Amino acid sequence: MPHHTPLMGTIVAGFVVAFLMGALAHKLRISPVAGYLFAGVIVGPFTPGFVADIALANELAEIGVMLLMFGVGLHFSLRDLLSVRNIAVPGAVIQITVATAMGVGLALYLGWSVAAGLVFGLALSVASTVVLLRALQARNLIDTERGRIAVGWLIVEDLAMILALVLLPAIAGMLEGRSGSDGGGSLLTAVALTVLKVGGFLAFMLIVARRVIPAALHWTAHTGSRELFRLAVLSIALGVALGAAYVFDVSLALGAFFAGMILGETQLSRRAAEETLPLRDAFAVLFFVSVGMLFDPAVVVEQPGPVLATVAIIVIGKSLAAYAIVRAFGHDNEIALTVAGSLAQIGEFSFILAGLGMQLGILPPEGRDLILAGAIFSILFNPLIFTLAAGRLGDVKRQDEAKAQEREEARQRERREHVVLVGHGRVGRLIAEGAAHRGRALVVIEEQADFARQAEEAGREVVVGNASNPHILDEAGIQHASKLIIAIPEGFEGGAIAEHARRLNPEIVIFARAHSDEEVGYLERLGVDHVIMGEREIARAILGLAATSRPAA
Ligand code: AMP
């Protein structure tokens, strides 16, 4: 047995303790993120017992960041990015300025230098990719206008931080008078070099990678090997990110985002996204564990005032600034609250900045401790803030409630005896078309936002969400429906949907799709009236064709 296995120890301890704490959080009905952070504190150096390797945990977390940004890139087109530039660019710049000013204010109050305040403020101004994307994903908001604004804003913040990381050493040199009179000159050179590198990266991606990467992926798909395809997707996501970081000094997150964006233009992007999902989720969890590991709970007891002020800047100051900016640009309350709520936290970039600030001797160690405490509390509060924002939305919406209820009742009346169709993919789409031909009232339930949008564009009534959730079935009016057609490929998941539907409406006639004999048996046992096994139907169709077709003369 090998005794020194830090990598394995860190991965296994990270996953196991995160699972246990995540499950506990689920039981206590709090956000699983709180569980993962706490897991990090448990395996971290500030609590007794097993201590995982912080440096390794951070690197593993970076893989999570890359895969997350790759996934976002897959759904984002260059057009999406450009469509939000009018708000994202000034928004991010103004918000960074406001947050940095507040950080400098607190730093001066604590007796630090202006330069320390600058690093501290910048670290408080940049939101974490992982936290923002998870919050948006959990609420199905990525593909909405507010989701796009928040992601665009994050990209601009990312770019600004790359510049800050490059400028920091030059500024530190200038402040110490090391570079003498040419301080301004070296600053300018550093800026120009960074802009050139980022420009070089973008040009490379848009001119070279845009041709080579999709072609490579198509070729791999045609080999027919699933394993090779999976490897190709991972190589592209992680390879481009790391390559970009090495060659162009661009952040890993940004590199992965552009790799995703280029693949997003291809037909294979959906499969690519599915291939990275399990790894992405696992490594994103390690991100939270790694943040928890850095946290020393003693700082809360030793410096309660500064900790509170730091958290207030991140949670209150930053969100108020973002809210005001978005409103000032003429967007509605809903968009302003989502953007403000999603950005009211800090994460990975802040740690990198703090680390560099300390290395350069600008930031005192208390600064880093406060940034860490600010990160952990703002990440912890983030789901709550999002819910509060949604609550405020609830207030606004309540005024329209009476009208909405009237409309809903009319819809329910219309909906009696309708057909509920789960899934609008390859199978569901054809069923929906057929039903429309026959003039049947139909409500589609589809969990993927882009497929749901397609269904809406085809004129269907759509409920977006997972049909195994009884609330979603309820929203589709299952109680008054005559038929339920479960057109999803997962027979066992279909069983759960059928069970809920039967409970809510004992009379309903249920059709389901299966792909194995086990699934057929399972669905029939659960009382599905008609189970259609795809493979049997394909065989039947082929036999029919073979029996009637004649060889060409
Ligand atoms: P296909 O296998 O191409 O017919 O696609 C199945 C469709 O069903 C996809 O668009 C999925 O997003 C959708 N889907 C799968 N599971 C669920 C579920 N539990 N609730 C709603 N939609 C689902």
Side-chain angles (χ1 to χ4, degrees), residues 132-143:
L132 178 124
L133 294 183
R134 281 195 42 133
L136 292 178
Q137 269 160 0
R139 291 160 187 84
N140 252 330
L141 288 176
I142 292 258
D143 277 335

Side-chain angles (χ1 to χ4, degrees), residues 188-206:
L188 220 64
T189 322
V191 174
L193 213 62
T194 308
V195 172
L196 215 67
K197 279 180 183 165
V198 173
F201 170 67
L202 293 183
F204 174 79
M205 290 308 282
L206 294 179

Side-chain angles (χ1 to χ4, degrees), residues 410-430:
R411 209 164 61 169
Q412 290 290 4
R413 272 197 300 279
E414 255 172 48
R415 263 192 192 170
R416 262 172 216 286
E417 304 288 299
H418 64 291
V419 176
V420 174
L421 170 66
V422 179
H424 199 261
R426 291 161 303 177
V427 177
R429 199 172 305 155
L430 296 176

Side-chain angles (χ1 to χ4, degrees), residues 270 422-428 445-448 451 465-468 487-489 493 497 513:
R270 171 172 296 277
V422 179
H424 199 261
R426 291 161 303 177
V427 177
I445 302 180
E446 170 58 60
E447 65 175 349
Q448 300 209 41
F451 276 17
N466 190 319
S468 45
I488 65 170
E493 196 176 341
I497 300 172
R513 198 177 137 185

Side-chain angles (χ1 to χ4, degrees), residues 58-372:
N58 278 334
E59 278 190 38
L60 293 170
E62 279 287 352
I63 298 183
V65 176
M66 287 190 253
L67 292 177
L68 263 166
M69 280 304 261
F70 176 71
V72 176
L74 280 174
H75 289 290
F76 232 79
S77 68
L78 198 58
R79 213 180 34 191
D80 286 338
L81 196 60
L82 292 177
S83 74
V84 297
R85 69 176 184 281
N86 287 342
I87 169 84
V89 175
V93 171
I94 300 172
Q95 197 203 20
I96 289 176
T97 314
V98 173
T100 308
M102 288 192 269
V104 171
L106 179 61
L108 290 180
Y109 176 77
L110 293 173
W112 307 345
S113 67
V114 177
L118 224 55
V119 177
F120 183 64
L122 276 175
L124 300 190
S125 69
V126 54
S128 155
T129 313
V130 184
V131 181
L132 178 124
L133 294 183
R134 281 195 42 133
L136 292 178
Q137 269 160 0
R139 291 160 187 84
N140 252 330
L141 288 176
I142 292 258
D143 277 335
T144 60
E145 189 193 2
R146 25 197 187 133
R148 276 194 284 273
I149 293 180
V151 174
W153 192 300
L154 186 84
I155 305 270
V156 180
E157 279 192 0
D158 239 28
L159 285 170
M161 286 308 131
I162 294 169
L163 203 62
L165 286 177
V166 175
L167 292 186
L168 219 53
I171 295 177
M174 246 173 66
L175 287 171
E176 283 175 14
R178 257 191 264 136
S179 41
S181 56
D182 82 325
S186 71
L187 206 64
L188 220 64
T189 322
V191 174
L193 213 62
T194 308
V195 172
L196 215 67
K197 279 180 183 165
V198 173
F201 170 67
L202 293 183
F204 174 79
M205 290 308 282
L206 294 179
I207 297 166
V208 183
R210 199 175 191 178
R211 282 173 208 167
V212 177
I213 290 179
L217 200 66
H218 270 116
W219 180 83
T220 321
H222 282 129
T223 62
S225 162
R226 211 184 178 146
E227 193 173 274
L228 269 185
F229 184 77
R230 217 167 260 174
L231 272 179
V233 174
L234 284 177
S235 314
I236 292 168
L238 304 179
V240 170
L242 209 64
Y246 269 116
V247 182
F248 298 101
D249 277 336
V250 180
S251 73
L252 292 167
L254 210 66
F257 174 79
F258 277 99
M261 206 160 92
I262 278 168
L263 275 192
E265 290 174 10
T266 67
Q267 300 252 309
L268 289 166
S269 65
R270 171 172 296 277
R271 254 188 84 194
E274 282 163 9
E275 297 300 345
T276 53
L277 274 182
L279 260 189
R280 186 193 79 182
D281 290 348
F283 282 100
V285 165
L286 286 185
F287 166 78
F288 293 107
V289 175
S290 73
V291 175
M293 285 177 70
L294 294 168
F295 180 61
D296 179 2
V299 72
V300 182
V301 185
E302 284 160 14
Q303 317 189 40
V307 168
L308 207 68
T310 309
V311 176
I313 292 178
I314 302 168
V315 174
I316 303 171
K318 263 175 65 171
S319 10
L320 284 182
Y323 180 85
I325 298 162
V326 178
R327 292 293 279 168
F329 273 76
H331 288 279
D332 66 20
N333 207 28
E334 205 170 3
I335 295 181
L337 283 171
T338 308
V339 173
S342 58
L343 293 165
Q345 35 81 15
I346 60 170
E348 57 273 19
F349 247 123
S350 318
F351 309 147
I352 300 175
L353 265 175
L356 185 66
M358 285 203 23
Q359 206 182 319
L360 293 169
I362 309 177
L363 189 73
E366 305 94 279
R368 193 205 41 196
D369 289 344
L370 288 182
I371 289 170
L372 281 174

Side-chain angles (χ1 to χ4, degrees), residues 42 48 65 135 156 248 344 381 386 389 433 456 464 484 515 535 548:
I42 294 178
V65 176
V156 180
F248 298 101
F381 293 154
F386 234 102
E433 270 169 27
E456 256 164 11
V464 186
L484 167 68
H515 294 279
E535 281 68 8
T548 53

